[in-house]
């Protein structure tokens, strides 16, 4: 009998305002009931049945249901790892959840609920599932604990702590998913060498485990790390591998890759190449964030190319896409507003002389890394370095270049 079953007994007892003495009367000693509730003993079936009978709860012992639940759970995690929906498994758990909660499968079902809620970014539901499961983390076997840790990392806003959770998850069992998501954390932090090492391992393990989803996105992440290191030849090679792997799959990294390459060329001052890549990138139907940022960059690059009318069109589209964003924190939306304002200021040929231009840039440089990832800080930091050099504030420019690990002479 699992510790979670003991918890169910305790929970039902408290719901009925029964003391341990009241529930245990005629069944077992109150001290023994206390050990059952804490998962410290393995009571006989008769005792458990009598306790549930007294509580008015029918404990489910359906061996066929337990086997089917195990099969469905395995299928759910298989498809989740592959980035695919598993509607049949979800429908099964929705229908049978009430029974499974009162069975020996209860702990596995609790992990499923936590994992599913985290993957769907249903944060309130995930927090509630985590709270209910937390006292029993020590009772989870390695596969279930790994899933719970991966879900917790998905919920965590601090990428450093998320990386530690994923390190613990990866140590339990070989998991390309844990390795890849840990690589994402280090990418967010701007630790591109560490991210690349983990993404490379994730790719190799995904090849062994037959997971094309992780193969694709590990290659994409390697390309993005190379972009942020300004190794654009390596970035193009990794992105090409990612694109090749998507053949036959619904996933498509082409537009994200083109956006990243275009943004990097824009950051480096190569407006012509930036325009080529950003024009090739398309909007993504389910990603208004990508769409808003794509049109924001296109507005900037068209202004630099002298196409004011095109820039205005993309600026309006960027604002419209921003209004479509639903899943974002107040801080993230504020940051996006700052980025759109930065692009809007570019419409003034004398923007570098405006106090607001420096204010917006300083704000984006200081806050973007924490809210959206180091790559954003890097992008706006380079513009801030250019401004400081224009103003002959070389010490300030040097401070930014040292913080970002850049050569100040590379920012023209």
């Amino acid at each position: 009998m699992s510790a979670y079953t003991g918890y169910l007994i305790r929970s039902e007892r408290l719901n009925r305002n029964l003391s341990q003495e009241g529930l245990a009367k005629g069944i077992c000693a109150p001290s023994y009931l206390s050990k059952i509730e804490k998962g410290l003993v393995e009571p006989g079936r008769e005792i458990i049945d009598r306790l549930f009978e007294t509580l008015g709860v029918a404990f489910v012992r359906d061996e066929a249901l337990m086997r089917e639940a195990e099969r469905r759970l395995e299928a759910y995690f298989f498809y989740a790892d592959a980035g695919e929906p598993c509607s049949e498994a979800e429908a099964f758990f929705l229908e049978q959840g009430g029974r499974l909660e009162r069975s020996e499968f209860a702990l596995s079902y609790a992990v499923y609920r936590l994992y599913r809620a985290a993957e769907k970014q249903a944060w309130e539901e995930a927090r509630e599932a985590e709270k209910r499961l937390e006292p029993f983390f020590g009772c989870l076997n390695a596969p279930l604990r790994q899933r719970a840790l991966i879900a917790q990392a998905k919920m965590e806003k601090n990428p450093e702590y998320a990386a530690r959770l994923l390190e613990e998850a990866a140590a339990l069992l070989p998991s390309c998913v844990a390795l890849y998501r840990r690589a994402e954390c280090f990418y967010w932090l701007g630790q591109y060498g560490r991210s690349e090492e983990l993404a490379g391992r994730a790719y190799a393990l995904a090849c062994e485990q037959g997971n094309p989803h992780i193969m694709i996105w590990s290659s994409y992440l390697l390309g993005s790390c190379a972009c942020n290191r300004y190794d654009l030849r390596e970035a193009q090679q990794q992105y090409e591998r990612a694109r090749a792997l998507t053949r036959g799959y619904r996933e498509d990294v082409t537009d994200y890759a083109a956006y990243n390459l275009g943004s990097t060329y824009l950051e480096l001052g190569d407006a012509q190449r930036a325009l080529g890549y950003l024009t090739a990138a398309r909007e993504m139907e389910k990603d208004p964030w990508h769409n808003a940022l794509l049109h924001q960059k296109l507005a900037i690059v068209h202004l630099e190319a002298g196409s004011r009318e095109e820039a205005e069109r993309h600026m309006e589209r960027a604002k419209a896409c921003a209004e479509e964003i639903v899943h974002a924190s107040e801080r993230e939306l504020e940051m996006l507003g700052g980025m759109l304002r930065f692009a809007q200021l570019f419409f003034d040929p004398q923007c570098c002389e405006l106090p607001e231009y420096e204010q917006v840039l300083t704000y984006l440089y200081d806050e973007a890394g924490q809210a959206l990832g180091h790559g954003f800080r890097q992008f706006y930091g380079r513009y801030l370095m250019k401004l400081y050099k224009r103003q002959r504030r070389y010490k300030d420019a040097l401070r930014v270049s040292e913080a970002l690990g850049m050569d100040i002479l590379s920012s023209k």
Side-chain angles (χ1 to χ4, degrees), residues 195-395:
S195 180
E196 285 175 308
E197 185 264 327
L198 288 165
R201 288 170 54 194
Y203 177 84
L205 187 56
C207 290
E208 292 179 20
Q209 296 180 337
N211 189 323
H213 176 71
I214 298 299
M215 291 166 63
I216 291 166
W217 289 104
S218 293
S219 297
Y220 174 81
L221 185 56
L222 286 165
S224 299
C225 287
C227 260
N228 284 6
R229 289 190 293 99
Y230 308 116
D231 186 347
L232 295 172
R233 178 176 295 181
E234 173 68 15
Q236 288 169 337
Q237 289 176 348
Q238 293 293 343
Y239 285 148
E240 183 55 40
R241 183 173 73 175
R243 283 193 291 266
L245 288 166
T246 61
R247 292 167 189 160
Y249 293 90
R250 288 198 304 256
E251 297 168 279
D252 190 358
V253 300
T254 301
D255 298 299
Y256 292 127
Y259 166 80
N260 284 348
L261 288 165
S263 295
T264 304
Y265 277 117
L266 177 60
E267 183 181 337
L268 294 173
D270 190 336
Q272 184 177 357
R273 289 188 179 179
L275 181 58
Y277 279 109
L278 290 170
T279 303
R282 299 166 300 178
E283 289 190 11
M284 304 295 285
E285 182 181 352
K286 297 181 180 180
D287 193 349
W289 265 102
H290 164 79
N291 302 337
L293 294 175
L294 171 61
H295 288 287
Q296 181 244 15
K297 298 292 192 308
L298 279 165
I300 294 172
V301 78
H302 275 294
L303 283 169
E304 293 194 351
S307 303
R308 187 180 182 89
E309 186 175 338
E310 275 297 296
E312 289 176 347
R313 183 174 69 82
H314 285 292
M315 196 68 233
E316 290 305 310
R317 183 59 188 149
K319 293 175 182 177
C321 293
E323 292 177 357
E324 297 173 8
I325 295 173
V326 177
H327 299 294
S329 67
E330 184 176 336
R331 185 183 187 189
E332 289 169 338
L333 292 176
E334 182 180 293
M335 190 66 55
L336 179 59
M339 289 188 284
L340 294 181
R341 182 56 185 160
F342 170 74
Q344 192 71 57
L345 288 169
F346 257 78
F347 283 83
D348 187 335
Q350 304 300 318
C351 64
C352 291
E353 309 303 324
L354 300 174
E356 186 185 3
Y357 181 77
E358 181 178 343
Q359 292 169 3
V360 170
L361 260 183
T362 303
Y363 163 71
L364 292 172
Y365 170 73
D366 288 340
E367 301 294 329
Q370 295 181 30
L372 300 171
H374 183 79
F376 287 91
R377 187 172 193 244
Q378 191 169 298
F379 181 88
Y380 292 103
R382 188 174 284 271
Y383 276 95
L384 188 58
M385 286 168 59
K386 291 178 184 178
L387 178 64
Y388 285 152
K389 287 164 68 177
R390 181 187 179 96
Q391 296 172 341
R392 299 189 178 184
R393 294 164 59 182
Y394 297 116
K395 287 185 178 179

Side-chain angles (χ1 to χ4, degrees), residues 12-188:
E12 294 292 343
R13 176 177 64 78
L14 294 176
N15 286 341
R16 287 161 176 72
N17 293 318
L18 278 173
S19 65
Q20 288 184 332
E21 290 79 5
L23 177 58
K25 186 175 181 181
I27 301 173
C28 62
S31 59
Y32 191 69
L33 174 59
S34 177
K35 292 179 180 179
I36 293 173
E37 291 183 353
K38 295 176 181 177
L40 299 177
V41 294
E42 188 77 20
R45 176 170 178 169
E46 181 182 353
I47 289 178
I48 290 297
D49 285 346
R50 291 180 66 187
L51 289 171
F52 275 110
E53 183 181 352
T54 303
L55 290 167
V57 175
F59 187 75
V60 177
R61 282 194 176 88
D62 185 333
E63 293 184 5
L65 177 63
M66 298 302 104
R67 288 194 298 270
E68 182 65 9
E70 289 287 356
R71 189 180 73 82
R72 297 284 189 176
L73 186 65
E74 183 178 348
Y76 171 79
F77 285 134
F78 174 83
Y79 282 103
D81 287 350
E84 296 285 343
C86 190
S87 54
E88 289 184 5
E90 292 184 29
F92 169 82
F93 287 119
L94 180 64
E95 179 182 357
Q96 300 294 338
R99 298 181 69 201
L100 294 172
E101 280 188 316
R102 287 166 176 76
S103 74
E104 294 182 1
F105 192 78
L107 204 54
S108 298
Y109 178 68
V111 173
Y112 159 78
R113 289 187 61 193
L114 170 62
Y115 200 92
R116 178 182 178 275
E119 288 297 295
K120 291 185 177 296
Q121 299 184 26
W123 303 127
E124 289 188 16
E125 182 183 343
R127 293 295 178 198
E128 180 60 32
E130 180 188 38
K131 182 179 178 181
R132 186 174 183 185
L133 182 62
E134 193 170 11
F136 305 95
F137 267 37
C139 304
L140 298 174
N141 60 28
L144 289 177
R145 183 168 178 80
Q146 184 178 73
R147 295 294 177 178
L149 288 166
I150 291 174
Q152 286 184 304
K154 179 87 171 181
M155 298 158 59
E156 181 55 52
K157 298 299 183 183
N158 182 341
E160 292 180 334
Y161 183 63
R164 289 198 292 272
L165 291 172
L166 291 163
E167 181 179 21
E168 183 181 346
L172 291 169
L173 293 167
S175 169
C176 60
V177 174
L179 284 173
Y180 167 71
R181 294 194 178 178
R182 191 163 178 241
E184 282 188 311
C185 293
F186 286 108
Y187 175 79
W188 176 282

